[in-house]
Amino acid sequence: MTAYLIKNVSVVGAAPTDLLIRDGVVAEAGAGLTAPDATVLDGTGLVALPGLVDLHTHLREPGREDAETVESGSRAAALGGYTAVCAMANTSPVADTAGVVEQVWRLGREAGLVDVQPIGAVTVGLAGERLAELGAMADSAARVRIFSDDGHCVADPKLMRRALEYVKAFDGVIAQHAEEPRLTEGAQMHEGEVSTRLGLTGWPAVAEEAIIARDVLLAEHVGSRLHICHVSTAGSVEVLRHAKARGVKVTAEVTPHHLLLTDEKAETYDPVYKVNPPLRTAADIAALRAALAEGVIDIVATDHAPHAVEDKECEWAYARPGMLGLETALSIALDVLGPQWDLIAERMSRAPARIAGLEGHGLDPAPGVPANLTLVDPAAHRTIEPAELASRSRNTPYARMTLPGRIVATFLRGEPTVLDGKAVK
Amino acid sequence: MIRHLLSGADLDADTATQILDTAAEMATVAGREVKKLPALRGRTVVNLFYEDSTRTRISFEAAAKRLSADVINFSAKGSSVTKGESLKDTALTLQAMGADAVVVRHPASGAPHRLANWVDGSVVNAGDGTHEHPTQALLDAYTMRSRLGRLAGLHVAIVGDVLHSRVARSNVLLLSTLGAKVTLVGPPTLIPVNISAALAPGTDVSYDLDAVLPDVDVVMMLRVQRERMGDSYFPSAREYARRYGLDGPRMRRLPAHAIVMHPGPMNRGMEITPEVADSPRSTIVEQVANGVSVRMAVLYLLLGGNNR
């Protein structure tokens, strides 16, 4: 195993130092390190972060390998600075059995670019009718701890209560896609002035807020852990703030796109901006940014959702919702939060690793810690070209935008997955 | 001149007035023995209809033919569309066939905007989903101007299912551009609360038809789909008709000069009674005739007929 000596790197924003990576761990940290056998990387001007952890990734395999595979998604993740991603269950077949989650887990190991942690479905076939075999998935080789019907809301309150209760046996967490289905029938975009003007059926903020309000009360009632996927409205932030003040065990994520893009993007009718939950208003963005800084929202998660060209190059109403996110998330966070490295490390690595229960991830580079880390050049800017992305799909909403920050290198247990901004394999 | 006509918002007052003035000239052709002008000879106009709409399609077809254009009717029924061809591939096909203008009717809002990215010719929105129907607004404005002599300062009530109405959206935009005042009337379930901010500041909303009628120059009744009942927008057709339908007694609350419009097709007995539809105040048949003149003007001006 090659050793790496990273010279003059700022660990999470601290004064520059050297890091020696050997045998899968950070062997030494400190100024003036030498290691004759090590490959030396000049870290001048770079920031070392604990490898990013994405709690919300769609890898599309099995079923839509034309849009993404575990391998291509893993490569996109590594290039984005990630060392672990949680793969959502809405594949085909659905990841609702031990067999499917083990398959995804094994494909992740074979790709070897990030740790792929499968998420299991809450209900059989995501149909919202009866519980999937949550315990079997928890006991499988994939050791599933997060369960989600993402893409669909667990709308039945009794089923949601039972799921929250049941996963306590193995310290599981239910990640809810908060969308009251009756209030969003046929919904195409945020319900507001723009939807009125465009004649597109609205997705009202209350459809998200009502489910979050219900579920924090359910989680409080049964004393379970609840995670809220892709929070998108100012009202949801207020519900979460209230719940956290009461001591409810709830965590929440926000996506990069909900921190940056507004519903006015729909005015082009280009479905690259169609996403679920939809892009909201500038006021929502301001509330989400404040909540992320404050900790009412715990993490940034990408909701990386690759789609084949034909599913986006069509009429808005017929397009599938979702956007790419893995290769641009850190840049958006840097753009939104500024160089607050400790905050970025907390929201994009430490906290998601804690929520997911991923051992060896979310730990700042220090002697003895598994060498899961990424090196960022904060001074660099890059213009996003869809064709240059590692994802199999091209549905980035940031095409031709110039964003700050560039991932220079990523290490997974001491092995580089990205060097010089390029995937190693 | 603009290249596409996708929305009422594409038209400033000068352009809209130019279209209405040109339409008035075109209307004189309809009175001649030979109802044809050579203006678009050798040009190809495609009517691309993804929804059944005999009324709008034949209006555009008649308009194009009176200008001597070659007309190709491409309807979703019995075409490659039913075989699952994408809008983009259809667009590229039309492009390869040399379409100078594509008139598109589509159930998805924004489809004409997408199409405009993929063809070189002009795109005319002939109704997209619940978004807009700009030539309907133009023919409505033309009808109002013909009957009442002006548009600026008119007070127009648009009554019914504004939420799902492409006619209402285009009319609000165009009428406000041309200086008319619009009041939208209907049950609160069918009028978006933010419609004034979304479309045209100064647009009023009322839930009380009887209160509005004495003060308007034009009342435009929108078609109400009976299916909306099943979705709880209103309790029953009977209750809808009682509160928002235009019947004889209500019509008599209008000022003497006021006109009654309807874009068709009508639900007689629902939003409008036969007594009103067939009264001298009704412009419903005129609207159809004016539709051809206005669409002639739109095609003529979009295809650069004024430059020849």
Side-chain angles (χ1 to χ4, degrees):
Chain A
M1 208 171 183
T2 312
Y4 288 87
L5 178 59
I6 307 165
K7 300 291 288 180
N8 296 315
V9 69
S10 163
V11 176
V12 195
T17 186
D18 300 346
L19 292 175
L20 179 63
I21 297 173
R22 195 196 290 281
D23 298 328
V25 298
V26 178
E28 289 180 63
L33 295 185
T34 53
D37 61 324
T39 302
V40 176
L41 301 178
D42 182 6
T44 307
L46 305 185
V47 176
L49 294 175
L52 306 183
V53 175
D54 191 18
L55 211 67
H56 193 147
T57 306
H58 296 273
L59 293 176
R60 300 294 184 223
E61 188 175 5
R64 285 305 298 265
E65 291 83 354
D66 58 325
E68 196 79 288
T69 63
V70 171
E71 188 189 344
S72 66
S74 293
R75 189 171 295 112
L79 286 163
Y82 287 89
T83 53
V85 300
C86 298
M88 273 297 174
N90 63 338
T91 48
S92 176
V94 171
D96 58 1
T97 62
V100 178
V101 294
E102 285 192 353
Q103 181 196 356
V104 172
W105 177 76
R106 209 162 34 242
L107 288 166
R109 297 264 291 202
E110 284 165 19
L113 289 154
V114 290
D115 284 346
V116 174
Q117 172 58 56
I119 292 171
V122 178
T123 67
V124 175
L126 309 175
E129 287 164 3
R130 58 200 171 88
L131 291 182
E133 289 188 350
L134 308 179
M137 290 188 272
D139 293 342
S140 74
R143 293 178 39 81
V144 176
R145 290 295 178 272
I146 304 176
F147 299 89
S148 181
D149 275 3
D150 182 60
H152 302 269
C153 183
V154 181
D156 179 339
K158 188 169 81 179
L159 198 58
M160 185 62 183
R161 174 202 169 141
R162 296 279 187 257
L164 284 165
E165 284 178 308
Y166 191 79
V167 299
K168 283 163 78 173
F170 33 86
D171 194 29
V173 57
I174 305 295
Q176 175 69 295
H177 170 116
E179 175 182 357
E180 214 302 310
R182 288 280 285 159
L183 289 174
T184 55
E185 282 172 11
Q188 296 295 329
M189 67 172 295
H190 172 65
E191 181 175 305
E193 280 178 27
V194 182
S195 69
T196 294
R197 185 158 62 242
L198 298 184
L200 290 170
T201 306
W203 196 130
V206 64
E208 175 174 304
E209 294 152 7
I211 291 292
I212 298 177
R214 181 199 76 177
D215 287 355
V216 294
L217 294 172
L218 282 175
E220 182 174 34
H221 182 60
V222 299
S224 294
R225 280 212 290 153
L226 168 70
H227 178 75
I228 304 296
C229 298
H230 41 50
V231 171
S232 69
T233 80
S236 297
V237 169
E238 288 315 305
V239 174
L240 288 166
R241 192 191 309 277
H242 177 74
K244 288 192 162 190
R246 288 169 65 98
V248 178
K249 286 185 276 181
V250 60
T251 53
E253 72 191 33
V254 62
T255 69
H257 47 272
H258 287 115
L259 290 170
L260 192 71
L261 307 174
T262 68
D263 60 341
E264 291 178 1
K265 289 284 183 190
E267 286 173 351
T268 58
Y269 287 102
D270 184 342
V272 77
Y273 301 113
K274 179 172 171 176
V275 63
N276 192 18
L279 300 177
R280 304 282 184 187
T281 67
D284 292 305
I285 287 177
L288 293 168
R289 289 181 176 195
L292 184 65
E294 199 184 327
V296 172
I297 291 175
D298 301 80
I299 65 170
V300 174
T302 66
D303 196 4
H304 178 81
H307 285 299
V309 170
E310 65 271 22
D311 290 325
K312 283 292 189 182
E313 214 167 51
C314 60
E315 297 86 332
W316 181 282
Y318 306 159
R320 290 175 188 264
M323 303 173 163
L324 299 183
L326 286 169
E327 293 174 73
T328 46
L330 184 75
S331 289
I332 304 297
L334 195 53
D335 192 44
V336 166
L337 297 173
Q340 302 185 68
W341 298 110
D342 191 65
L343 186 64
I344 290 174
E346 182 65 22
R347 300 286 182 259
M348 297 187 76
S349 177
R350 299 177 203 137
R354 275 198 306 274
I355 294 166
L358 294 176
E359 284 173 21
H361 288 279
L363 303 171
D364 289 1
V369 161
N372 297 316
L373 58 98
T374 189
L375 304 182
V376 187
D377 180 357
H381 283 78
R382 64 196 172 121
T383 301
I384 306 302
E385 290 297 338
E388 292 171 5
L389 296 174
S391 170
R392 282 213 173 168
S393 294
R394 295 289 168 258
N395 54 305
T396 174
Y398 311 112
R400 285 165 295 285
M401 282 174 67
T402 299
L403 299 175
R406 171 172 167 269
I407 300 295
V408 175
T410 307
F411 290 85
L412 178 64
R413 280 184 288 279
E415 293 278 5
T417 55
V418 173
L419 277 179
D420 209 9
K422 294 184 179 62
V424 169
K425 57 178 174 180
Chain B
M1 192 61 198
I2 54 174
R3 180 162 149 226
H4 306 294
L5 180 56
L6 305 178
S7 161
D10 294 342
L11 300 169
D12 58 22
D14 287 348
T15 308
T17 303
Q18 186 189 7
I19 292 172
L20 299 182
D21 292 345
T22 307
E25 291 174 41
M26 295 296 176
T28 63
V29 176
R32 295 186 203 161
E33 197 175 342
V34 178
K35 297 181 176 54
K36 212 154 170 117
L37 293 173
L40 297 185
R41 198 158 53 200
R43 314 297 292 273
T44 301
V45 175
V46 176
N47 288 324
L48 178 60
F49 274 58
Y50 287 82
E51 271 185 354
D52 287 331
S53 170
T54 312
R55 166 184 302 264
T56 304
R57 186 182 58 73
I58 62 176
S59 180
F60 270 105
E61 186 173 351
K65 285 182 169 168
R66 282 185 191 173
L67 293 169
S68 305
D70 295 320
V71 179
I72 298 171
N73 286 316
F74 191 124
S75 82
K77 239 173 214 165
S79 73
S80 52
V81 171
T82 48
K83 296 172 200 154
E85 183 173 77
S86 73
L87 181 65
K88 184 176 183 185
D89 286 330
T90 301
L92 298 179
T93 302
L94 301 179
Q95 175 70 16
M97 291 185 337
D100 296 292
V102 180
V103 175
V104 59
R105 162 67 64 98
H106 200 292
S109 298
H113 292 70
R114 300 292 285 154
L115 195 64
N117 293 321
W118 298 320
V119 298
D120 291 337
S122 292
V123 175
V124 180
N125 181 359
D128 62 328
T130 54
H131 179 223
E132 287 212 44
H133 192 359
T135 60
Q136 177 72 41
L138 282 164
L139 77 87
D140 289 337
Y142 182 90
T143 304
M144 290 175 213
R145 199 175 75 162
S146 306
R147 275 285 189 113
L148 301 170
R150 66 196 165 99
L151 287 163
L154 289 185
H155 185 190
V156 180
I158 301 178
V159 184
D161 182 0
V162 173
L163 177 63
H164 300 97
S165 174
R166 48 200 179 202
V167 174
R169 278 179 184 68
S170 288
N171 262 295
V172 168
L173 289 165
L174 184 67
L175 287 170
S176 68
T177 298
L178 293 171
K181 166 154 190 68
V182 177
T183 300
L184 300 167
V185 185
T189 45
L190 291 175
I191 302 193
V193 287
N194 50 25
I195 189 115
S196 171
L199 292 179
T203 305
D204 279 349
V205 170
S206 171
Y207 307 130
D208 183 352
L209 179 58
D210 288 318
V212 171
L213 288 175
D215 186 43
V216 299
D217 304 295
V218 178
V219 56
M220 182 185 298
M221 305 306 295
L222 300 173
R223 178 180 170 80
V224 175
Q225 312 277 350
R226 286 171 194 273
E227 306 90 84
R228 305 284 177 227
M229 251 186 318
D231 217 359
S232 301
Y233 286 104
F234 49 87
S236 68
R238 197 173 52 192
E239 174 155 324
Y240 182 88
R242 194 159 51 225
R243 293 180 66 85
Y244 297 104
L246 191 60
D247 58 9
R250 280 211 171 104
M251 180 173 68
R252 286 183 277 281
R253 295 175 65 84
L254 289 165
H257 68 278
I259 59 173
V260 175
M261 306 182 73
H262 193 297
M266 289 180 281
N267 291 309
R268 286 178 183 250
M270 179 86 169
E271 70 269 4
I272 193 166
T273 62
E275 181 192 354
V276 177
D278 301 331
S279 80
R281 288 174 183 274
S282 161
T283 64
I284 294 163
V285 177
E286 261 167 83
Q287 285 171 266
V288 176
N290 293 340
V292 177
S293 304
V294 162
R295 287 167 179 134
M296 286 174 76
V298 166
L299 290 172
Y300 176 78
L301 293 170
L302 283 184
L303 294 183
N306 55 336
N307 296 334
R308 296 190 160 195

